[in-house]
């Protein structure tokens, strides 16, 4: 089982053992209108843009599509970008990403999947994506169709590179746990999602 790296010694042990899941992984860039998705090869070498989903905040159809996509690709892990300011602060966009990760965990569980979902720092991923597209010769007005995918690829590549450099897991895993019902056994429960850091309580 992957070590959570709750202490420095655990991280060192994980680095020696190379403890982190290997296989197809997904990167997700969450926006108010679109959600970019990226994928990597089974060896976790290169992240590439995959597709763009239209965000549906009322029915969350995009969340279910993403969960189905993870199953179809036999993904072993999903990284959701958590936007932060250059000072490391989290604002509304970060809350939106965290809420989306929560919805994704629930959709995966509803489909009978326990694929780990992790929040990972994505500072400047969209800015970098726009720059890369500009350098590739794409006109600014055409960026919208692919920029979210490219940003997602940047998020995923960042996670892959850190995993290899450290030999251990990175980011904050989102856990969904059933809270006790008000009337005890047999009561309806509302999953309460918790996040656990992979290293020293900080998001990587």
């Amino acid at each position: 089982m992957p070590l959570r790296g709750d202490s420095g010694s655990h991280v060192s042990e994980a680095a020696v053992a190379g403890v982190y899941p290997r296989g197809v992984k997904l990167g997700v860039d969450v926006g108010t209108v679109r959600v970019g998705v990226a994928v990597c090869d089974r060896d976790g070498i290169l992240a590439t843009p995959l597709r763009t989903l239209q965000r549906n905040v009322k029915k969350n159809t995009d969340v279910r599509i993403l969960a189905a996509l993870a199953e179809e690709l036999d993904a072993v892990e999903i990284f959701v970008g958590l936007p932060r300011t250059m000072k490391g602060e989290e604002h509304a966009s970060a809350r939106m990403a965290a809420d989306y990760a929560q919805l994704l965990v629930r959709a995966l569980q509803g489909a009978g999947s326990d694929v780990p979902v992790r929040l990972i720092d994505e500072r400047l991923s969209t800015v970098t994506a726009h720059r890369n597209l500009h350098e590739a010769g794409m006109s600014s007005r055409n960026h919208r169709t692919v920029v979210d995918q490219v940003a997602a690829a940047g998020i995923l590549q960042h996670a892959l590179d850190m995993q290899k450099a450290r030999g251990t897991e990175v980011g904050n895993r989102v856990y969904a746990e059933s809270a006790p019902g008000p009337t005890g056994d047999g009561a309806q429960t509302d999953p309460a999602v918790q996040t656990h850091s992979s290293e020293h309580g900080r998001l990587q």
Side-chain angles (χ1 to χ4, degrees):
M1 294 178 61
L3 298 178
R4 293 184 181 177
D6 295 324
S7 68
S9 61
H10 286 179
V11 172
S12 298
E13 292 170 5
V16 172
V19 180
Y20 59 89
R22 290 175 169 80
V24 172
K25 300 173 185 180
L26 299 180
V28 182
D29 178 65
V30 182
T32 56
V33 179
R34 295 176 302 276
V35 176
V37 184
V39 66
C40 74
D41 55 282
R42 292 186 177 278
D43 293 324
I45 297 174
L46 181 65
T48 57
L50 182 60
R51 65 181 296 183
T52 298
L53 304 175
Q54 293 301 309
R55 183 73 181 101
N56 185 326
V57 295
K58 291 184 178 181
K59 297 183 179 180
N60 291 317
T61 52
D62 54 305
V63 180
R64 293 193 293 273
I65 290 173
L66 182 54
L69 190 60
E71 181 178 6
E72 176 185 339
L73 296 174
D74 197 23
V76 299
E77 197 165 33
I78 302 173
F79 289 98
V80 176
L82 185 74
R84 283 178 164 177
T85 67
M86 292 307 296
K87 293 182 179 180
E89 298 171 339
E90 298 177 9
H91 296 308
S93 57
R95 183 67 258 171
M96 179 178 66
D99 288 344
Y100 193 90
Q102 170 182 328
L103 291 170
L104 181 55
V105 169
R106 292 179 177 178
L108 288 165
Q109 287 190 339
S113 172
D114 60 354
V115 176
V117 174
R118 291 183 174 275
L119 288 167
I120 191 162
D121 196 333
E122 65 142 307
R123 272 175 262 193
L124 298 180
S125 63
T126 301
V127 173
T128 302
H130 276 293
R131 184 178 67 241
N132 291 342
L133 289 171
H134 178 73
E135 292 175 351
M138 178 177 285
S139 64
S140 297
R141 64 181 180 181
N142 292 329
H143 284 193
R144 182 179 299 180
T145 59
V146 295
V147 67
D148 304 286
Q149 301 175 31
V150 176
I155 292 167
L156 180 54
Q157 191 67 55
H158 175 55
L160 296 175
D161 291 344
M162 283 202 303
Q163 283 182 331
K164 289 185 177 181
R166 301 178 183 183
T168 189
E169 197 49 89
V170 296
N172 273 20
R173 181 169 178 179
V174 180
Y175 289 90
E177 300 175 358
S178 296
T183 57
D185 294 340
Q188 292 291 328
T189 58
D190 180 27
V193 175
Q194 301 179 349
T195 59
H196 296 274
S197 175
S198 62
E199 184 178 355
H200 303 298
R202 295 180 308 211
L203 197 63
Q204 304 299 315

